[in-house]
Amino acid sequence: MSTTSLPSPDHSPRLRAALLAADFTADGLLELLGASAYAALARSETVPALRATRGDTPLETLVRLFLLQRAVPGERAEAALPLDAALTDGWVVRDGDRITATVDVRPYGGPDGQDWFIVSDLGCSVGGAAGARGHGEDVVLGVGGASTTLAGLTVRTPVDRALDVGTGSGIQALHATQHATRVTATDLNPRALGFTRLTLALSGAPAAELREGSLFDPVGDETYDLIVSNPPFVISPGARLTYRDGGMGGDDLCRTLVQQAGDRLNEGGYAQFLANWQHVEGEEWQERLRSWVPRGCDAWIVQREVQDVTQYAELWLRDSGDHRSDPQAYAARYDAWLDEFEARGTKAVGFGWISLRKSGAAEPSIVVEEWPHSVEQPLGESVRAHFERQDYLRARDDAALLAEHFVLAAEVVQEQVGLPGAEDPEHVVLRQHRGMRRATKVDTVGAGFAGVCDGSLSAGRILDAIAQLMGEDPVLLRDRTPQSIRLLVEEGFLEPASAPVPGSPAARGAAPGPALG
C-alpha cells in the first residue's frame, strides 16, 4: 500500500512557470522526442525517449526527472527548477548530488491549447494502466486512453455545477473547471484527492471542492448540471486495486452509478460514464443496459468492444503484472476470474460509453447500439446534438415532419456501390466524415430526397416532386417515407433547417440548391 506523503501545492505557480519556461509541454515534448519516441512513451517504452534526452538542456532534464523517473545531477535540476521550493514542497528529493522526482508530472494539452500537467504516482504517467504494475492497492494513475476518451465525449456547454465521481488524478475535474462555475471531485482513495489538488494547482486551474467517499455518498442529495465518471469498472473476483476494481459483484458498480445519477441531475443536465457490462447467458445485453437507465432520463449507450471471458481476464491480469509473478499464483488468479464469470453466467464483457440527459420526458429516448468503428473525437458536440435530435423528433408526428425543411449535414457524401460498368448501382450509401462517421444504405427515394435537402422546400413537397418523377402515387409515398426521414434525422444525416447544428450548411446560410423539376 502506498504510504508516501504527497507534495505540497504551495509553490506550484513557481514550478509551473519553470516548466513552461523550459517548454515542458505536450508540443515541446513532441518537438524534442520526435513522433516515434513520443508514441513509444504511450506504450510504456522509455528507451527511445532516454536516447533523445542525453543532452543537458532544462527540457531534457525535466523529461528525465518527471517522465522517465531518472535521477539527475543537482546542478542540472537547479538550472531547470526552483529547486529549493521543489525540495521544500516535496516534488523532488535529494540523495547526495542526485535529484529524484517523487511523483510523475505529465504535460497534457487542453482542448483550447492550454498547457496542463497531470500529476500521478511514479511510473504511472506514461502507458496508462500498464504503469500500475508493482504499485500498492491505492495507486493513482495518470492520463490514459480511457480518461482521454471520456474527456472527448463530455458535453462542454457552460454549467453552474459539475461533479467528477472517482476523480483519480483529476483529469475530468481539470476539464470541467473550464466550463463549470463550481466543480466537486470525489474519490474513495484519499491519495487521489491529493493528486487532483496537485493537478489543478500545477495546471493553473481553479480549485475544486474535494470530498472523500464512494460513488455519490460524499454529495448526498446535491444535484448537478454535469456528472462525469471514469469509475473502477473492472469486473473482477475481488477488490485488490482501488483504481480499477469496484468491490461490488459483477457489473453492479457501473449499474449503481448509472441508476443513482438520475436523482443527482438537474433538469437538462448530462451524466457521462465509461463502463463495463456483463453479457449474461440467456439475456440480451441491450435489455440489461436499458434496465439501468434512471426514470426521467434519455440515454445513449454505445458498446465499443466485446471480449470473451478469457481475453478479459488476461487483459487485467497483465494490467496488474500478475503474468510476471509465480506461475502457480498466476494460474490461481486466472482460475478465480473464470470461477467468478461461471458463477454469474457471464460469457463476455462489453465496454463502452453511457450518456444520460435529464429530460423528464414521459416517453424517454433510450438508444443502445454497438459501434466498434472509428470515430472522430472530440464527440461532446455529437452527444449534445444526439439528444437535441431526440427532443426534436419526439415533438413531431409524421404530418409535422413532412411540413419541415431539412438540410444535409456537413461532410455527408453519397457513395454508389455496384459492379463496374453496371448501368445502375446495387445500392446507395450516405456516409458521414465527422463525429460517429456513420454510414447508412438508402433507396432511390432516400438518395434523391437527401440530395436536394437544402432548406428551400418542405419534406412533403420534395416527396411530391419525387413521386411525379418516378410515376408513383404521392399519397402512398408520403405515407411510407416519414420513418426513413426520421431515421436520417436521428442519426444526424439530415438537420432541421429551423434549428441547425452549428457549422452545418443551414447555420452558415448556404444558398438554396436546385429544386426538383
Side-chain angles (χ1 to χ4, degrees), residues 256-268:
T256 301
L257 184 63
V258 173
Q259 288 181 334
Q260 293 184 356
D263 290 336
R264 273 81 179 183
L265 277 179
N266 292 325
E267 197 70 23

Side-chain angles (χ1 to χ4, degrees), residues 94-340:
R94 185 190 294 274
D95 182 8
D97 189 41
R98 310 291 285 180
I99 301 297
T100 306
T102 62
V103 290
D104 274 344
V105 177
R106 176 174 175 174
Y108 178 68
D112 297 315
Q114 301 98 328
D115 290 314
W116 288 339
F117 300 96
I118 309 301
V119 188
S120 64
D121 269 314
L122 285 171
C124 296
S125 74
V126 294
R133 294 176 189 141
H135 288 73
E137 65 183 35
D138 60 350
V139 61
V140 177
L141 298 184
V143 60
S147 51
T148 56
T149 294
L150 179 58
L153 282 172
T154 303
V155 175
R156 297 297 176 192
T157 53
V159 296
D160 180 32
R161 305 189 67 192
L163 172 65
D164 176 14
V165 179
T167 188
S169 55
I171 300 161
Q172 309 308 325
L174 176 59
H175 277 276
T177 61
Q178 304 305 293
H179 64 103
T181 304
R182 291 177 289 176
V183 176
T184 301
T186 71
D187 206 291
L188 184 63
N189 181 2
R191 297 184 73 251
L193 299 177
F195 276 115
T196 294
R197 180 180 291 107
L198 296 174
T199 289
L200 296 177
L202 196 57
S203 297
E209 183 181 8
L210 306 176
R211 301 188 191 180
E212 182 180 344
S214 177
L215 299 181
F216 294 109
D217 289 348
V219 300
D221 296 330
E222 295 176 23
T223 58
Y224 298 86
D225 307 298
L226 173 67
I227 299 172
V228 292
S229 182
N230 177 17
F233 52 63
V234 176
I235 300 171
S236 65
R240 284 198 301 144
L241 298 172
T242 304
Y243 78 89
R244 72 168 202 192
D245 302 318
M248 296 186 186
D251 51 20
D252 283 355
L253 184 137
C254 290
R255 175 186 56 80
T256 301
L257 184 63
V258 173
Q259 288 181 334
Q260 293 184 356
D263 290 336
R264 273 81 179 183
L265 277 179
N266 292 325
E267 197 70 23
Y270 292 89
Q272 297 183 260
F273 314 101
L274 300 185
N276 277 185
W277 44 77
Q278 298 171 115
H279 286 225
V280 178
E281 196 73 43
E283 182 179 354
E284 293 292 333
W285 68 269
Q286 295 94 333
E287 293 308 309
R288 181 182 188 84
L289 292 176
R290 284 178 181 276
S291 72
W292 292 8
V293 178
R295 183 177 302 169
C297 288
D298 293 340
W300 185 19
I301 301 173
V302 181
Q303 180 167 276
R304 295 287 287 160
E305 185 179 357
V306 182
Q307 291 184 318
D308 69 40
V309 292
T310 59
Q311 292 173 310
Y312 190 81
E314 290 162 14
L315 169 67
W316 294 108
L317 287 167
R318 287 194 303 271
D319 165 84
S320 55
D322 288 312
H323 65 304
R324 295 178 176 175
S325 65
D326 174 73
Q328 289 186 332
Y330 173 79
R333 282 184 171 154
Y334 197 153
D335 207 35
W337 283 72
L338 297 186
D339 283 344
E340 172 82 4

